[in-house]
Amino acid sequence: MKKYIVLFLLFSAVVFAQNVNEYKYALMPSKFSFLKEENQYNLNLITKMYLQKYGFESYYDNETFSADFASINCNKIFIDVLNNSTMFSTKLKVVIKDCKNNILATSDEGTSREKEYRVAYNEALRMAFDNFGMLKTHKYQPSEKSIGTVGELAFQGVEHNEGKPMILYPKKAIEGFDLITSNPEVVYMNIKYTSVKDVYIAKRKENTGIFFKDNEKWIFEYYLNNQKITELLHVQF
């Protein structure tokens, strides 16, 4: 029985590692929920540094994203840190989720008995990352799940053949307009007017957010799994 349990655990570890290896990018909050300020005690910076060390191109949720990062929701992992501290010790865990909020992996608990918060949180978080073997062996191996199928890429705004952002075009609609691809039958996004110039309500599939102009660039911004997503769109008005 013990032999089968060990084999099952080894198989599970390989499967989860492969899941993480499918991703090139990582997105994390600029402020963890158990803290009062952005990057308090440098925990968000430490998280980003570890993810970059382990081979992920990483962003905070309030940063401007690269076009490739923003073009497809499921090409990234979502990082969070959970605080299970007690009166006598600081305890942190790192959690990795996919775009559908499924937990891909959770680190072992990093602990510290230091009394000063900054020292304790830093020590506990570094311990959690240092012992997170799955991340340490990360090697990006793209799959259909993480880069999307041909159809999904076209819908998300990436030309599959050329690897370049596609140009979107406005088409009049009720109370606003649609953004269409070079194929007029393919509606990429529905846009509704607001009372504010160059600010619109936008809906793409299940994602609803705002579409606005910022320094001559058009942005689609929305929330996914409590993470703010910012996408750059190329629109030919």
Side-chain angles (χ1 to χ4, degrees), residues 28-66:
M28 70 208 74
S30 57
K31 182 182 80 67
F32 293 122
S33 60
F34 60 91
L35 299 176
K36 296 180 180 180
E37 303 173 3
E38 290 188 358
N39 194 34
Q40 193 168 5
Y41 308 125
N42 279 335
L43 295 192
N44 301 81
L45 177 60
I46 290 172
T47 298
K48 188 174 187 178
M49 290 174 62
Y50 266 99
L51 290 166
Q52 291 174 337
K53 175 183 177 181
Y54 295 150
F56 292 94
E57 187 174 324
S58 307
Y59 292 87
Y60 298 129
D61 57 8
N62 61 355
E63 285 187 278
T64 299
F65 306 142
S66 69

Short mmCIF file of all heavy atoms in Angstrom, two decimals, residues 28-66:
data_model
loop_
_atom_site.label_atom_id
_atom_site.label_comp_id
_atom_site.label_asym_id
_atom_site.label_seq_id
_atom_site.Cartn_x
_atom_site.Cartn_y
_atom_site.Cartn_z
N MET A 28 0.32 39.05 -10.05
CA MET A 28 0.15 39.07 -8.60
C MET A 28 -0.43 40.41 -8.17
O MET A 28 -0.29 41.41 -8.88
CB MET A 28 1.50 38.85 -7.90
CG MET A 28 2.46 40.02 -8.04
SD MET A 28 4.18 39.54 -7.96
CE MET A 28 4.36 38.79 -9.58
N PRO A 29 -1.09 40.45 -7.02
CA PRO A 29 -1.62 41.72 -6.54
C PRO A 29 -0.50 42.65 -6.10
O PRO A 29 0.56 42.20 -5.67
CB PRO A 29 -2.51 41.31 -5.37
CG PRO A 29 -1.95 40.02 -4.89
CD PRO A 29 -1.43 39.32 -6.12
N SER A 30 -0.75 43.94 -6.21
CA SER A 30 0.21 44.92 -5.70
C SER A 30 0.10 45.04 -4.18
O SER A 30 1.00 45.58 -3.53
CB SER A 30 -0.02 46.28 -6.35
OG SER A 30 -1.35 46.72 -6.13
N LYS A 31 -1.02 44.52 -3.62
CA LYS A 31 -1.22 44.51 -2.17
C LYS A 31 -1.91 43.21 -1.79
O LYS A 31 -2.99 42.90 -2.31
CB LYS A 31 -2.09 45.69 -1.72
CG LYS A 31 -2.29 45.75 -0.20
CD LYS A 31 -3.21 46.90 0.18
CE LYS A 31 -4.67 46.56 -0.03
NZ LYS A 31 -5.14 45.49 0.90
N PHE A 32 -1.30 42.44 -0.93
CA PHE A 32 -1.94 41.21 -0.46
C PHE A 32 -3.06 41.55 0.52
O PHE A 32 -3.01 42.55 1.24
CB PHE A 32 -0.92 40.29 0.21
CG PHE A 32 0.11 39.75 -0.75
CD1 PHE A 32 1.46 39.96 -0.55
CD2 PHE A 32 -0.28 39.03 -1.87
CE1 PHE A 32 2.41 39.47 -1.44
CE2 PHE A 32 0.65 38.54 -2.78
CZ PHE A 32 2.00 38.75 -2.55
N SER A 33 -4.08 40.72 0.55
CA SER A 33 -5.31 41.03 1.29
C SER A 33 -5.10 41.19 2.79
O SER A 33 -5.86 41.89 3.46
CB SER A 33 -6.36 39.95 1.03
OG SER A 33 -5.88 38.68 1.46
N PHE A 34 -4.07 40.57 3.33
CA PHE A 34 -3.86 40.65 4.78
C PHE A 34 -3.01 41.86 5.18
O PHE A 34 -2.72 42.06 6.36
CB PHE A 34 -3.22 39.35 5.31
CG PHE A 34 -1.88 39.02 4.70
CD1 PHE A 34 -0.71 39.46 5.30
CD2 PHE A 34 -1.80 38.27 3.54
CE1 PHE A 34 0.53 39.15 4.75
CE2 PHE A 34 -0.57 37.94 2.98
CZ PHE A 34 0.59 38.39 3.58
N LEU A 35 -2.60 42.66 4.20
CA LEU A 35 -1.80 43.84 4.47
C LEU A 35 -2.60 45.12 4.23
O LEU A 35 -3.63 45.10 3.56
CB LEU A 35 -0.55 43.85 3.59
CG LEU A 35 0.41 42.66 3.79
CD1 LEU A 35 1.54 42.72 2.80
CD2 LEU A 35 0.95 42.64 5.22
N LYS A 36 -2.12 46.23 4.77
CA LYS A 36 -2.85 47.49 4.67
C LYS A 36 -2.34 48.37 3.54
O LYS A 36 -3.05 49.28 3.10
CB LYS A 36 -2.74 48.26 6.00
CG LYS A 36 -3.39 47.55 7.18
CD LYS A 36 -3.24 48.37 8.45
CE LYS A 36 -3.90 47.68 9.63
NZ LYS A 36 -3.75 48.46 10.89
N GLU A 37 -1.14 48.12 3.05
CA GLU A 37 -0.54 48.98 2.03
C GLU A 37 0.05 48.15 0.90
O GLU A 37 0.35 46.96 1.08
CB GLU A 37 0.59 49.84 2.65
CG GLU A 37 0.16 50.71 3.82
CD GLU A 37 1.34 51.38 4.49
OE1 GLU A 37 2.48 51.20 4.00
OE2 GLU A 37 1.14 52.07 5.49
N GLU A 38 0.21 48.80 -0.25
CA GLU A 38 0.88 48.14 -1.37
C GLU A 38 2.33 47.83 -0.99
O GLU A 38 3.02 48.66 -0.42
CB GLU A 38 0.84 49.02 -2.62
CG GLU A 38 -0.55 49.16 -3.23
CD GLU A 38 -0.50 49.86 -4.57
OE1 GLU A 38 0.60 50.26 -5.01
OE2 GLU A 38 -1.57 50.02 -5.19
N ASN A 39 2.74 46.62 -1.31
CA ASN A 39 4.11 46.18 -1.10
C ASN A 39 4.58 46.39 0.34
O ASN A 39 5.75 46.69 0.60
CB ASN A 39 5.07 46.90 -2.05
CG ASN A 39 6.44 46.25 -2.10
OD1 ASN A 39 6.55 45.03 -1.98
ND2 ASN A 39 7.48 47.05 -2.26
N GLN A 40 3.66 46.26 1.28
CA GLN A 40 4.04 46.42 2.70
C GLN A 40 5.06 45.35 3.08
O GLN A 40 4.94 44.18 2.71
CB GLN A 40 2.80 46.32 3.58
CG GLN A 40 3.05 46.79 5.01
CD GLN A 40 1.74 46.95 5.79
OE1 GLN A 40 0.66 46.64 5.29
NE2 GLN A 40 1.84 47.43 7.00
N TYR A 41 6.06 45.73 3.80
CA TYR A 41 7.18 44.87 4.22
C TYR A 41 7.94 44.29 3.02
O TYR A 41 8.66 43.29 3.16
CB TYR A 41 6.70 43.73 5.12
CG TYR A 41 5.86 44.18 6.28
CD1 TYR A 41 4.58 43.66 6.49
CD2 TYR A 41 6.31 45.15 7.17
CE1 TYR A 41 3.79 44.07 7.53
CE2 TYR A 41 5.54 45.57 8.24
CZ TYR A 41 4.27 45.04 8.41
OH TYR A 41 3.48 45.46 9.46
N ASN A 42 7.74 44.87 1.83
CA ASN A 42 8.40 44.41 0.60
C ASN A 42 7.95 43.01 0.17
O ASN A 42 8.64 42.35 -0.63
CB ASN A 42 9.92 44.42 0.73
CG ASN A 42 10.52 45.80 0.51
OD1 ASN A 42 9.94 46.65 -0.17
ND2 ASN A 42 11.66 46.05 1.11
N LEU A 43 6.81 42.55 0.65
CA LEU A 43 6.38 41.19 0.34
C LEU A 43 6.01 41.02 -1.13
O LEU A 43 6.29 39.97 -1.73
CB LEU A 43 5.18 40.80 1.22
CG LEU A 43 5.45 40.71 2.73
CD1 LEU A 43 4.28 40.04 3.43
CD2 LEU A 43 6.74 39.94 3.01
N ASN A 44 5.39 42.02 -1.73
CA ASN A 44 5.02 41.91 -3.14
C ASN A 44 6.27 41.94 -4.02
O ASN A 44 6.35 41.22 -5.02
CB ASN A 44 4.05 43.02 -3.53
CG ASN A 44 2.79 42.98 -2.70
OD1 ASN A 44 2.79 43.48 -1.56
ND2 ASN A 44 1.73 42.40 -3.23
N LEU A 45 7.23 42.77 -3.66
CA LEU A 45 8.49 42.83 -4.40
C LEU A 45 9.24 41.50 -4.29
O LEU A 45 9.77 40.99 -5.28
CB LEU A 45 9.36 43.97 -3.88
CG LEU A 45 10.74 44.11 -4.53
CD1 LEU A 45 10.61 44.35 -6.02
CD2 LEU A 45 11.51 45.24 -3.86
N ILE A 46 9.28 40.95 -3.10
CA ILE A 46 9.95 39.65 -2.90
C ILE A 46 9.28 38.58 -3.75
O ILE A 46 9.95 37.77 -4.40
CB ILE A 46 9.93 39.26 -1.41
CG1 ILE A 46 10.84 40.17 -0.60
CG2 ILE A 46 10.34 37.80 -1.22
CD1 ILE A 46 10.74 39.99 0.90
N THR A 47 7.95 38.59 -3.78
CA THR A 47 7.20 37.62 -4.58
C THR A 47 7.56 37.75 -6.06
O THR A 47 7.83 36.75 -6.74
CB THR A 47 5.68 37.84 -4.40
OG1 THR A 47 5.35 37.62 -3.02
CG2 THR A 47 4.89 36.88 -5.27
N LYS A 48 7.58 38.97 -6.55
CA LYS A 48 7.91 39.20 -7.95
C LYS A 48 9.34 38.75 -8.26
O LYS A 48 9.60 38.13 -9.31
CB LYS A 48 7.73 40.67 -8.30
CG LYS A 48 7.86 40.98 -9.78
CD LYS A 48 7.52 42.43 -10.07
CE LYS A 48 7.48 42.71 -11.56
NZ LYS A 48 7.12 44.11 -11.87
N MET A 49 10.26 39.03 -7.37
CA MET A 49 11.67 38.67 -7.59
C MET A 49 11.84 37.15 -7.65
O MET A 49 12.59 36.64 -8.49
CB MET A 49 12.54 39.27 -6.48
CG MET A 49 12.67 40.78 -6.56
SD MET A 49 13.57 41.49 -5.15
CE MET A 49 15.18 40.71 -5.35
N TYR A 50 11.14 36.44 -6.77
CA TYR A 50 11.23 34.98 -6.79
C TYR A 50 10.64 34.41 -8.07
O TYR A 50 11.21 33.49 -8.68
CB TYR A 50 10.50 34.38 -5.58
CG TYR A 50 11.42 34.11 -4.41
CD1 TYR A 50 11.49 35.00 -3.35
CD2 TYR A 50 12.20 32.96 -4.36
CE1 TYR A 50 12.34 34.76 -2.27
CE2 TYR A 50 13.05 32.72 -3.29
CZ TYR A 50 13.10 33.61 -2.24
OH TYR A 50 13.95 33.38 -1.19
N LEU A 51 9.51 34.93 -8.52
CA LEU A 51 8.89 34.45 -9.74
C LEU A 51 9.78 34.70 -10.95
O LEU A 51 9.91 33.85 -11.84
CB LEU A 51 7.52 35.10 -9.93
CG LEU A 51 6.46 34.62 -8.94
CD1 LEU A 51 5.25 35.54 -8.96
CD2 LEU A 51 6.05 33.18 -9.24
N GLN A 52 10.42 35.85 -10.98
CA GLN A 52 11.36 36.13 -12.07
C GLN A 52 12.58 35.22 -11.98
O GLN A 52 13.09 34.73 -13.00
CB GLN A 52 11.78 37.60 -12.02
CG GLN A 52 10.64 38.56 -12.38
CD GLN A 52 11.01 40.01 -12.19
OE1 GLN A 52 11.91 40.33 -11.42
NE2 GLN A 52 10.32 40.90 -12.87
N LYS A 53 13.03 34.96 -10.78
CA LYS A 53 14.16 34.05 -10.56
C LYS A 53 13.83 32.66 -11.10
O LYS A 53 14.71 31.97 -11.65
CB LYS A 53 14.48 33.99 -9.07
CG LYS A 53 15.56 32.98 -8.69
CD LYS A 53 15.77 32.94 -7.19
CE LYS A 53 16.78 31.89 -6.79
NZ LYS A 53 16.96 31.83 -5.31
N TYR A 54 12.57 32.25 -10.94
CA TYR A 54 12.16 30.92 -11.38
C TYR A 54 11.63 30.90 -12.81
O TYR A 54 11.02 29.92 -13.24
CB TYR A 54 11.10 30.37 -10.42
CG TYR A 54 11.60 30.13 -9.01
CD1 TYR A 54 10.75 30.23 -7.92
CD2 TYR A 54 12.94 29.80 -8.77
CE1 TYR A 54 11.20 30.02 -6.62
CE2 TYR A 54 13.40 29.59 -7.48
CZ TYR A 54 12.53 29.70 -6.41
OH TYR A 54 12.99 29.48 -5.13
N GLY A 55 11.87 31.97 -13.57
CA GLY A 55 11.62 31.93 -15.00
C GLY A 55 10.30 32.48 -15.49
O GLY A 55 9.96 32.30 -16.66
N PHE A 56 9.54 33.17 -14.64
CA PHE A 56 8.28 33.77 -15.07
C PHE A 56 8.48 35.25 -15.39
O PHE A 56 9.20 35.94 -14.68
CB PHE A 56 7.21 33.65 -13.97
CG PHE A 56 6.76 32.26 -13.70
CD1 PHE A 56 7.35 31.49 -12.71
CD2 PHE A 56 5.73 31.69 -14.44
CE1 PHE A 56 6.93 30.20 -12.44
CE2 PHE A 56 5.30 30.40 -14.19
CZ PHE A 56 5.91 29.65 -13.19
N GLU A 57 7.81 35.71 -16.44
CA GLU A 57 7.72 37.15 -16.68
C GLU A 57 6.55 37.64 -15.83
O GLU A 57 5.41 37.25 -16.06
CB GLU A 57 7.47 37.44 -18.16
CG GLU A 57 7.52 38.92 -18.50
CD GLU A 57 7.43 39.18 -20.00
OE1 GLU A 57 7.98 38.38 -20.78
OE2 GLU A 57 6.78 40.18 -20.37
N SER A 58 6.82 38.49 -14.86
CA SER A 58 5.85 38.78 -13.81
C SER A 58 5.40 40.22 -13.79
O SER A 58 6.17 41.14 -14.08
CB SER A 58 6.46 38.42 -12.44
OG SER A 58 6.95 37.09 -12.44
N TYR A 59 4.13 40.41 -13.42
CA TYR A 59 3.53 41.74 -13.36
C TYR A 59 2.68 41.88 -12.09
O TYR A 59 2.07 40.91 -11.63
CB TYR A 59 2.62 42.00 -14.55
CG TYR A 59 3.32 42.10 -15.88
CD1 TYR A 59 3.58 40.97 -16.64
CD2 TYR A 59 3.72 43.34 -16.38
CE1 TYR A 59 4.22 41.06 -17.86
CE2 TYR A 59 4.36 43.44 -17.62
CZ TYR A 59 4.60 42.29 -18.35
OH TYR A 59 5.23 42.38 -19.56
N TYR A 60 2.64 43.11 -11.55
CA TYR A 60 1.64 43.46 -10.55
C TYR A 60 0.32 43.77 -11.28
O TYR A 60 0.33 44.15 -12.46
CB TYR A 60 2.06 44.69 -9.75
CG TYR A 60 3.33 44.53 -8.95
CD1 TYR A 60 4.35 45.49 -9.06
CD2 TYR A 60 3.51 43.47 -8.08
CE1 TYR A 60 5.52 45.37 -8.33
CE2 TYR A 60 4.69 43.35 -7.35
CZ TYR A 60 5.69 44.30 -7.48
OH TYR A 60 6.84 44.17 -6.76
N ASP A 61 -0.77 43.70 -10.57
CA ASP A 61 -2.07 43.95 -11.20
C ASP A 61 -2.30 45.42 -11.55
O ASP A 61 -3.26 45.74 -12.27
CB ASP A 61 -3.22 43.44 -10.32
CG ASP A 61 -3.23 44.05 -8.93
OD1 ASP A 61 -2.45 44.99 -8.67
OD2 ASP A 61 -4.03 43.59 -8.09
N ASN A 62 -1.45 46.32 -11.07
CA ASN A 62 -1.62 47.74 -11.40
C ASN A 62 -0.57 48.24 -12.39
O ASN A 62 -0.43 49.43 -12.61
CB ASN A 62 -1.58 48.59 -10.13
CG ASN A 62 -0.26 48.49 -9.37
OD1 ASN A 62 0.61 47.69 -9.74
ND2 ASN A 62 -0.11 49.27 -8.32
N GLU A 63 0.17 47.31 -13.00
CA GLU A 63 1.17 47.68 -14.00
C GLU A 63 0.55 47.69 -15.40
O GLU A 63 -0.51 47.10 -15.64
CB GLU A 63 2.33 46.68 -14.00
CG GLU A 63 3.27 46.83 -12.82
CD GLU A 63 4.49 45.95 -12.97
OE1 GLU A 63 4.39 44.75 -12.63
OE2 GLU A 63 5.54 46.44 -13.42
N THR A 64 1.22 48.34 -16.34
CA THR A 64 0.85 48.25 -17.74
C THR A 64 1.47 46.99 -18.31
O THR A 64 2.68 46.77 -18.21
CB THR A 64 1.36 49.48 -18.52
OG1 THR A 64 0.76 50.66 -17.97
CG2 THR A 64 0.97 49.38 -20.00
N PHE A 65 0.64 46.14 -18.92
CA PHE A 65 1.09 44.84 -19.37
C PHE A 65 1.62 44.88 -20.80
O PHE A 65 1.24 45.73 -21.59
CB PHE A 65 -0.06 43.82 -19.30
CG PHE A 65 -0.71 43.73 -17.96
CD1 PHE A 65 -2.09 43.56 -17.87
CD2 PHE A 65 0.02 43.82 -16.80
CE1 PHE A 65 -2.71 43.48 -16.64
CE2 PHE A 65 -0.59 43.74 -15.56
CZ PHE A 65 -1.95 43.57 -15.48
N SER A 66 2.45 43.92 -21.13
CA SER A 66 2.87 43.74 -22.52
C SER A 66 1.67 43.23 -23.32
O SER A 66 0.73 42.67 -22.78
CB SER A 66 4.01 42.72 -22.60
OG SER A 66 3.55 41.42 -22.28
#
